[in-house]
Amino acid sequence: MTHHNLATPVIEEQIRALKVGDTVTLERTLCGIRDATLIHMFDHGRRTRLDLKGQAVIHTAPNVRKVDVSPANPAGYEPLCVGTTTSMRMERFTRPLMEREGVRILIGKGGMGQGTLDAFRDLGGAYLAIVGGAAALETTWIEAIEDVDMDDLNPESLWRFRIRGFGPLLVGMDAHGGSLFAQVATDVAARRAAVLAKIGATE
């Protein structure tokens, strides 16, 4: 296992160097995105003015506070609690998000499916897993909300965070077909089958 320090935006070669089980710490920029944002972007044809090429996006609808615009809060929002939501609901958007917008890294909870793995293999992407319930810690890694787009969807706006030392995060899915989540599912199924066989039960 290897630890990687990556400053966004990243290039394909950096992502293809990641392997399942590695850890990553991100620097510079991270974008927040969630269901409504993606539905509007890809089902309703909306375009964002934010440049997502080579970026990492985190599945979140953050708790923020509206404040006066200042050097510390250039977008007029202060981050209060930036948690992470379950990613699987957004499975169908992985490929279009990568193809159209150039996103390279997804961050969330619970992993994603085969469609995402295929997109990562074809286009060069990775999924970084974050521990559920770590929102308070995550928020300390965010220095400021730099910009926001599609704010009519708030809190499921498209956010751009300035980050420092965001991690370490675990590489849960890589561009080589590796998935810790698929591996866990296979292991659990095998153990369940062994237990059922041992007690003479059938499904």
Side-chain angles (χ1 to χ4, degrees):
M1 292 185 291
T2 303
H3 183 71
H4 306 259
N5 288 288
L6 299 178
T8 58
V10 296
I11 60 174
E12 183 175 350
E13 288 75 12
Q14 290 174 292
I15 296 304
R16 291 198 183 274
L18 304 179
K19 302 290 193 304
V20 160
D22 287 354
T23 54
V24 175
T25 297
L26 294 173
E27 304 288 350
R28 194 176 295 154
T29 303
L30 173 65
C31 293
I33 204 165
R34 197 162 161 166
D35 312 53
T37 335
L38 291 162
I39 288 167
H40 277 257
M41 288 173 69
F42 297 105
D43 292 349
H44 300 166
R46 290 182 67 174
R47 291 281 183 163
T48 177
R49 60 178 173 76
L50 302 186
D51 184 2
L52 301 182
K53 186 176 181 181
Q55 287 295 341
V57 300
I58 186 168
H59 294 145
T60 186
N63 184 3
V64 301
R65 176 167 54 206
K66 189 75 172 171
V67 295
D68 292 335
V69 173
S70 68
N73 298 293
Y77 283 107
E78 177 186 5
L80 298 179
C81 187
V82 183
T84 312
T85 193
T86 303
S87 299
M88 187 59 80
R89 301 190 310 273
M90 290 161 272
E91 168 78 6
R92 69 185 178 94
F93 297 111
T94 299
R95 185 175 290 273
L97 190 60
M98 294 181 70
E99 287 180 336
R100 194 181 90 180
E101 303 294 340
V103 167
R104 290 283 179 196
I105 296 171
L106 303 181
I107 302 171
K109 294 189 303 190
M112 302 182 81
Q114 188 61 47
T116 291
L117 269 182
D118 292 343
F120 286 169
R121 178 199 62 222
D122 296 344
L123 303 169
Y127 181 92
L128 307 183
I130 198 161
V131 176
L137 177 61
E138 288 174 56
T139 307
T140 68
W141 301 334
I142 294 173
E143 292 189 320
I145 297 173
E146 289 188 327
D147 204 350
V148 59
D149 193 18
M150 303 186 191
D151 208 21
D152 56 302
L153 305 176
N154 191 303
E156 297 193 38
S157 311
L158 183 57
W159 305 91
R160 189 175 75 202
F161 306 115
R162 183 171 72 245
I163 58 172
R164 184 172 182 181
F166 199 96
L169 309 174
L170 180 66
V171 179
M173 301 170 73
D174 63 27
H176 311 283
S179 172
L180 288 179
F181 309 98
Q183 179 182 322
V184 167
T186 298
D187 291 347
V188 168
R191 292 179 186 180
R192 180 175 184 274
V195 170
L196 290 175
K198 185 174 181 179
I199 64 176
T202 57
E203 295 196 48

